[in-house]
Amino acid sequence: MVFFLPKKDDNTIARTKVLENVLTSTSQGDPYKELWRRIWKATVPGKVQIYVWRACSNLLPTRAKLSTKGYQGDLQCLLCSHAYEDTSHVFCKCPIATAILTASPFNLGSSLLPSLEFKEWLLDHARNLPNDLFAKLLMILWALWKNRNNMLWNHTKQSAEELVLSSLAWLEEFGKANKINKTALSKPKQAWRPAGYGTWKLNVDGSFLPGIAHGGVRGVLHDDAGQFRAAFAAPIPAVASTRQVELWAIKEGLKLVATMQVSNIIIETDCLEAVSCIAETQFTYVHDEGIIDDIRQELNHRTDISVQHTSRVNNRVAHCLANLAFEARHSSMWFMKPPDFIVGVLNDDCKHLR
Ligand SMILES: [Zn+2]
């Protein structure tokens, strides 16, 4: 078995821990299983999932937490001067938190009981809130922590209204970039399938958020029996469009295929525009000219490789690496053994094949 991982950044480590936690909890009947599942499944940026998971695990450096590690300074809340700043205070009891959470669309006033630990409180909402509202709640929790840190480091803070507007605007942008057709998900004929005898399949995907210069690409390679063979994830320092980042994903995919020295590959992307501009012989997209030429050149040499369009649903595993690639600072490749954090989605995708 060849198993290679480069130096991990903090987010990758935290993320892997999240999944380890989910897996361990599943086997041991952890009462918080539903909470971890909802955090992990929520359609919110990876950074937000990690911060909320850290908050639940009491790993955020609140002043109360720091005092258990030798900090002897002030324990007061940075925002309201309450005597003791712990996780529950920051997220549920500080006036800015209660102002937001008791108002629409959350209306969680009755749940802000002093007796509940933050983790129990969030578990309760993980069980009861619909997906969209739970995702919004995660965004707000992240924004409350960021606001507290801004006060600590920059002596600036947002009003409740500004905080809600900015975090929910980000969620909306993120949602657009990650929209998954849920209707298609429920149709069995839409399920991911291996390419067929003698042909391997590489699903690639790219992530790009308007207004953010960098993006990320990733891909997963399966053999003709649907077995995992390899995956890659890589940051792209400068991207200008979805099409461009998807083209990068194809280019990086071709690199993986070359590294593995395998033949007969179908590369699947959910970006129809990328597929058509590679196939196009007349018109050239000026901005992406170089990368399109690179891809065409490689494909001219490799007649055993074709690039095809697939629905986003069929591209779920590649998509699952989205946040990782988006936030990663290093390129990674995995051979033979999938990275832990996509195991769940891989199993889900392939269970109809067993
Ligand atoms: Zn406070």
Side-chain angles (χ1 to χ4, degrees), residues 77 79-82 89 94-95:
C77 172
L79 299 165
C80 75
S81 308
H82 175 80
H89 178 82
C94 195

Side-chain angles (χ1 to χ4, degrees), residues 51 54 58-66 78 85 87 145 148-149 152-153:
Y51 271 94
R54 290 183 69 199
N58 197 23
L59 292 173
L60 292 182
T62 58
R63 288 177 152 182
K65 175 72 180 177
L66 291 175
L78 290 146
E85 187 210 51
T87 311
W145 182 250
R148 175 262 184 210
N149 281 345
L152 177 64
W153 303 113

Side-chain angles (χ1 to χ4, degrees), residues 190-203 220-228 264-266 268 308 314 349-354:
Q190 287 278 348
W192 184 90
R193 301 226 159 256
Y197 184 72
T199 304
W200 290 17
K201 192 186 267 188
L202 176 66
N203 287 84
V220 181
L221 180 67
H222 286 96
D223 66 15
D224 52 357
Q227 288 294 312
F228 175 91
N264 296 328
I265 311 275
I266 292 174
E268 280 192 341
Q308 296 178 6
N314 286 340
D349 268 2
C350 298
K351 68 182 173 212
H352 63 285
L353 302 171
R354 287 185 205 118

Side-chain angles (χ1 to χ4, degrees), residues 30-232:
D30 183 337
Y32 295 98
K33 190 170 85 176
E34 182 63 8
L35 175 59
W36 308 136
R37 194 187 70 82
R38 287 293 301 270
I39 293 174
W40 183 247
K41 290 254 176 184
T43 311
V44 296
K47 187 188 281 186
V48 172
Q49 290 170 313
I50 288 162
Y51 271 94
V52 175
W53 169 76
R54 290 183 69 199
C56 292
S57 308
N58 197 23
L59 292 173
L60 292 182
T62 58
R63 288 177 152 182
K65 175 72 180 177
L66 291 175
S67 72
T68 65
K69 298 190 164 189
Y71 165 79
Q72 292 183 335
D74 213 335
L75 293 179
Q76 272 187 1
C77 172
L78 290 146
L79 299 165
C80 75
S81 308
H82 175 80
Y84 194 63
E85 187 210 51
D86 62 1
T87 311
S88 293
H89 178 82
V90 174
F91 297 115
C92 302
K93 295 167 197 164
C94 195
I96 186 165
T98 50
I100 295 169
L101 298 174
T102 53
S104 176
F106 301 106
N107 304 312
L108 301 178
S110 60
S111 78
L112 297 173
L113 299 173
S115 59
L116 275 186
E117 284 292 319
F118 172 70
K119 190 175 168 186
E120 295 167 350
W121 175 82
L122 197 59
L123 171 66
D124 190 39
H125 294 309
R127 286 193 176 126
N128 298 313
L129 291 183
N131 288 342
D132 58 335
L133 203 54
F134 189 68
K136 284 178 183 166
L137 178 59
L138 298 185
M139 295 303 292
I140 296 297
L141 296 175
W142 172 81
L144 284 167
W145 182 250
K146 195 174 144 229
N147 190 44
R148 175 262 184 210
N149 281 345
N150 275 338
M151 191 62 197
L152 177 64
W153 303 113
N154 309 320
H155 304 288
T156 58
K157 59 178 176 180
Q158 287 182 304
S159 68
E161 195 182 13
E162 286 167 341
L163 191 151
V164 171
L165 283 176
S166 60
S167 54
L168 296 191
W170 186 27
L171 179 64
E172 204 179 320
E173 282 304 320
F174 181 82
K176 276 185 207 158
N178 285 273
K179 201 164 190 178
I180 293 176
N181 185 337
K182 292 202 169 124
T183 333
L185 245 179
S186 61
K187 293 179 189 162
K189 65 175 178 186
Q190 287 278 348
W192 184 90
R193 301 226 159 256
Y197 184 72
T199 304
W200 290 17
K201 192 186 267 188
L202 176 66
N203 287 84
V204 297
D205 201 2
S207 51
F208 163 74
L209 281 179
I212 298 179
H214 74 281
V217 297
R218 58 274 167 187
V220 181
L221 180 67
H222 286 96
D223 66 15
D224 52 357
Q227 288 294 312
F228 175 91
R229 290 296 180 160
F232 71 88

